[in-house]
Amino acid sequence: MNNETAEAVQAALAEQANPKDISTFQRFFKMGKGEYAEGDIFIGVRVPANRIVAKRFSALPLLEIDRLLNSSIHEHRQAALFILVYRFLAASKISSRDDNLRTELSTFYINALKRGRVNNWDLVDLSAEHLLGTYLEDRPRQLLFDLASSTQLWERRAAIVATFAFIKRKDGSTTFELAKKLLDDPEPLIHKATGWMLRETGKKISQKVLTSFLDQYAAQMPRIMLSYAVEHLSVKQRTHYRSLR
């Protein structure tokens, strides 16, 4: 079998699959009727094993990656996204930066996101920071605000998670602007992701920038969002901000 095909990746993943893990994944990723991952299919490949497979196929052509993304099997889509991230990071190295390839990969990713192929929280979280955030670091960021206004849950989550790339460079401005936009979001998965990013501003930039935001908006924040945001503050600070709700 040609090593540069989606079928070869699928065969390699099948070798790593453990059917005993499927029921655990089904519960963990909320695949029940009416839940956010209803209808998703797992074969039982754990993330470390999937990463190893993805690294073996990091040169997979985009057409074949697209075939993986179109699969109904979760781990196939996960492997496709790992491959995209590995290739994007390689193209982002200072010694071998390739802006044309970076644009091609990010555009490909955005298209996949908008057609619903990046469709669970783990898939968003492993990819959005790099393929959206890192790509947009030195570009206009309006796309993230457009995604944050989407009716699609995973597009909104990708928007806020992408800002992790900015936070790591000591820039919390986009995180705070998007957080304000997402205060009234109805989805707990958005509350969790937004609180997570707010918490990271306090850890990686400064507690002062986080508490300045909380002083203004803690009273409006959903409980889960606030709980995540204050997780690394002192007991006294956590008690204070929670009392504002």
Side-chain angles (χ1 to χ4, degrees):
M1 182 179 290
N2 187 329
N3 282 337
E4 301 301 320
T5 65
E7 287 84 358
V9 178
Q10 292 167 352
L13 290 171
E15 291 176 359
Q16 301 297 323
N18 183 354
K20 293 181 180 179
D21 287 332
I22 294 175
S23 60
T24 300
F25 291 165
Q26 288 174 333
R27 291 192 301 272
F28 190 66
F29 287 102
K30 306 297 183 185
M31 295 169 59
K33 186 173 179 58
E35 294 182 311
Y36 59 77
E38 180 182 0
D40 208 351
I41 300 172
F42 285 82
I43 58 175
V45 181
R46 292 182 176 268
V47 167
N50 203 321
R51 285 184 179 275
I52 291 170
V53 170
K55 287 178 179 177
R56 283 174 49 196
F57 293 92
S58 61
L60 193 72
L62 288 182
L63 180 62
E64 299 300 311
I65 293 175
D66 203 43
R67 293 176 65 192
L68 289 175
L69 285 170
N70 285 333
S71 172
S72 60
I73 294 174
H74 186 98
E75 292 94 335
H76 294 173
R77 303 193 304 281
Q78 187 178 68
L81 294 167
F82 277 136
I83 293 169
L84 284 175
V85 169
Y86 293 146
R87 192 172 302 169
F88 182 87
L89 293 176
S92 300
K93 291 180 179 178
I94 295 175
S95 60
S96 56
R97 182 169 169 128
D98 185 336
D99 283 328
N100 289 334
L101 179 56
R102 281 161 49 94
T103 297
E104 182 180 25
L105 294 171
S106 182
T107 301
F108 180 90
Y109 172 74
I110 293 164
N111 288 336
L113 176 65
K114 289 188 172 182
R115 61 188 178 86
R117 306 318 299 158
V118 187
N119 56 351
N120 212 316
W121 61 262
D122 64 314
L123 303 183
V124 170
D125 293 359
L126 76 88
S127 57
E129 174 191 344
H130 306 293
L131 294 161
L132 274 178
T134 301
Y135 179 70
L136 293 174
E137 280 176 349
D138 54 358
R139 292 176 168 82
R141 300 176 185 178
Q142 181 58 44
L143 172 62
L144 298 184
F145 292 89
D146 295 341
L147 291 172
S149 298
S150 171
T151 59
Q152 300 303 313
L153 165 63
W154 307 120
E155 292 181 25
R156 302 199 305 279
R157 186 168 175 113
I160 190 65
V161 171
T163 68
F164 205 0
F166 314 147
I167 294 168
K168 289 179 177 179
R169 290 181 175 266
K170 310 299 183 184
D171 176 6
S173 59
T174 305
T175 304
F176 293 131
E177 288 302 312
L178 286 174
K180 287 187 281 186
K181 191 178 184 66
L182 295 170
L183 286 173
D184 297 323
D185 197 282
E187 293 290 344
L189 282 172
I190 301 301
H191 303 169
K192 291 177 181 179
T194 305
W196 167 29
M197 289 302 106
L198 290 172
R199 182 188 72 205
E200 294 302 318
T201 65
K203 290 172 62 179
K204 292 183 166 53
I205 303 176
S206 75
Q207 281 197 4
K208 183 177 179 180
V209 298
L210 172 58
T211 56
S212 293
F213 181 85
L214 294 175
D215 287 341
Q216 288 185 270
Y217 297 102
Q220 301 168 239
M221 291 169 67
R223 180 185 58 80
I224 296 175
M225 186 187 297
L226 181 60
S227 180
Y228 274 59
V230 303
E231 194 172 48
H232 287 276
L233 298 182
S234 69
V235 173
K236 182 178 180 180
Q237 287 172 309
R238 294 200 301 270
T239 301
H240 165 68
Y241 286 117
R242 287 169 178 163
S243 73
L244 298 180
R245 290 191 71 255

